[in-house]
Structure formats: C-alpha cells, structure tokens
Amino acid sequence: VADALGLALVPDSPVLCGLAATSPAPGLRERLSGRRAHCVATLTRAGRVVMREAGEVLFREYGLSGIVSFNLSRHARPGDAIELDLAPEVDAWEVDKLVADRPGDAHALDGILDPTTAEALVGLAGGAQAGGLAWRVAPLVKGLPFRVEGLADTAHAQVTRGGIDVAALDARTLAARGHDGLFACGEALDVDGACGGYNLAWAWASGMSCGASAARHAATAHANATAPSKDARAARAGAPTPRKDAPSSPERTLS
Ligand SMILES: Cc1cc2nc3c(=O)[nH]c(=O)nc-3n(C[C@H](O)[C@H](O)[C@H](O)COP(=O)(O)OP(=O)(O)OC[C@H]3O[C@@H](n4cnc5c(N)ncnc54)[C@H](O)[C@@H]3O)c2cc1C
C-alpha cells in the first residue's frame, strides 16, 4: 500500500536471526551444535571492535544462534570476525592454571564450561596431550574465533528491518506526509531494535500513538462534515436567510 501511494521505502531485510559463521576448527560446529554457552561476544571489522555483547549463544551447524547472535545480526557483515569469551568471569591466567594443573584432562574446566564444549575445545587444541595444552586451550576458551559469512535461518528472523522511511511520517502523530488520513506504526516503519522487548514496546507505543492520531483525525473530519452551515446557524438565530443571488455587501460579509 505504501509503495502504491509513493511513500519512501527502505528495502526490507531480516534481523534478529542466526549468523552463518565458519570456525577455523574442522568439525567444531558439528560437535558443538545444540550446545548453549554464556559468553561475551566481540564483533570486529578490520581489527576494530564494532560491538560487544554479553549473553547466551547457541551453537548451530551453520554457525551461531541465540540472543547474542540475534543482537550481533543487526550489525554483522560478511567477513567480520567474532570472538567468544566462554568464561567471562574467569581471567585467562586462571584458565591457563586450571588446564596446566590437570594436563590433558578436559574435566579441568568443569564448573566453567559444559563438558561437551570443554572436550571439543581440548580436541581443537590438538588432543589431550600434556605439555603446551594450557596455552592452546585458554585462548580458545577466552576467544573462540568465528568468521561471519552472512545471516542464517532468516525464515525464523524475529524482526524485519526496512519499510516506510520514518522521514515520510510526522514523528508526533505518525501521519503520512501528503496523504491526509493515512497513519502507520510498528514494523511497517523502518524501525528495529535489539532483543529485550524493544520491538514489542515500539509496536505497542507507536500503535497507541497512531491509533489516537487516527481517531482525532476521524473526529475532526466528522465534526467538519456534520457542522451546521453558516446559513443554518443564521436561520436558527432568527436572522433572515440571505438569498443565494443577493449581492454580497461588506456588512453581510462581516456579519
Ligand atoms: C518468533 C518471534 C519472537 C519474537 N520475540 C520478541 C520478543 O521477545 N520481544 C520483542 O520485543 N519482539 C519480539 N518479536 C518481534 C515482535 O513480535 C514484532 O516486532 C511485533 O510483533 C511487530 O508488531 P506489528 O504490530 O508491527 O506487526 P505484526 O505483529 O506483524 O502485526 C501485523 C498484523 O497485520 C496482519 N496483516 C498483515 N497484512 C494484512 C492485511 N493485508 N490485512 C489485514 N491484516 C494484515 C498480520 O496478520 C498481523 O496480525 C518476535 C518476533 C518473532 C517472529
């Protein structure tokens, strides 16, 4: 409808969805698929930090999902790097020490990582041999690397970015400029937010504002349509009804 009316549109794209991401470790995605981990994820582009996000990641065969991935999907581009700190409450030296104290034992990370994830990382570090294990496992725990290929599982994306350009609307009333009586709200507009209820909050708040504006507009239009004409008001007040063909005089115009 907006397109047909010539309102400015921003192209649609899915956001709040999974990220297709490769891992340098062959088989890691398959081994971790379905596991969840609490982490701090850092998204970087050409060495610069784009965003950092704490929360839960869900490993999938295609890459990453979960709330952390959803929020990264609003900013990530193909080629970006993601590092997952899987033990944000533990310093790197502590992870080093834990692994060094029990060389070759993936259970050294019990209480920090779930056993399947720990085993996968130890496997990625080249097996459970003693010696050198600590310095290879700890960097993975504190910065498991991925490379973004693009968005994934977009059929289940929670939000659509794009839609009616916000510049096409009056921000106070959400009335479309140049289209009397047309109002828009929610995801129809090019507005999207991070996970955390912001999209529903926007849908409700903009819906209330838009509905109230539309009601006011309808009430005004109704009042104008049903308001008695000047002649009817004059007749009710007992004044003589002017003849249509009577020449207008300054006095009549003023009265
Ligand atoms: C799986 C999932 C989980 C989500 N979780 C969260 C969350 O936890 N927190 C959060 O903030 N947001 C969440 N969102 C996003 C949030 O639900 C949406 O941003 C919000 O519902 C958008 O509201 P809306 O009214 O603009 O659009 P919609 O909710 O999409 O409503 C549009 C309505 O218009 C109807 N419609 C479409 N075309 C026509 C037509 N031609 N004639 C008549 N009716 C029509 C549709 O059937 C629909 O009922 C989630 C979304 C999904 C898909």
Side-chain angles (χ1 to χ4, degrees), residues 156-159 185-188 196-201 203:
H156 292 112
Q158 291 195 348
V159 172
C185 59
E187 272 195 48
Y198 300 105
N199 291 289
L200 283 171

Side-chain angles (χ1 to χ4, degrees), residues 25 31 104 118-134 136-137 140:
R31 285 189 69 179
E119 265 176 47
L121 297 193
V122 169
L124 175 55
Q129 311 94 329
L133 187 65
R136 284 184 288 167
V137 174
L140 294 176

Side-chain angles (χ1 to χ4, degrees), residues 159-235:
V159 172
T160 300
R161 174 174 287 168
I164 300 171
D165 191 331
V166 291
L169 304 177
D170 178 324
R172 208 170 34 85
T173 60
L174 296 178
R177 297 184 201 283
H179 296 276
D180 189 43
L182 179 67
F183 300 82
C185 59
E187 272 195 48
L189 273 63
D190 177 30
V191 174
D192 67 276
C195 293
Y198 300 105
N199 291 289
L200 283 171
W202 162 247
W204 294 326
S206 64
M208 286 173 68
S209 169
C210 182
S213 301
R216 273 196 301 274
H217 181 275
T220 306
H222 179 73
N224 288 342
T226 56
S229 66
K230 197 169 143 191
D231 292 350
R233 280 203 306 273

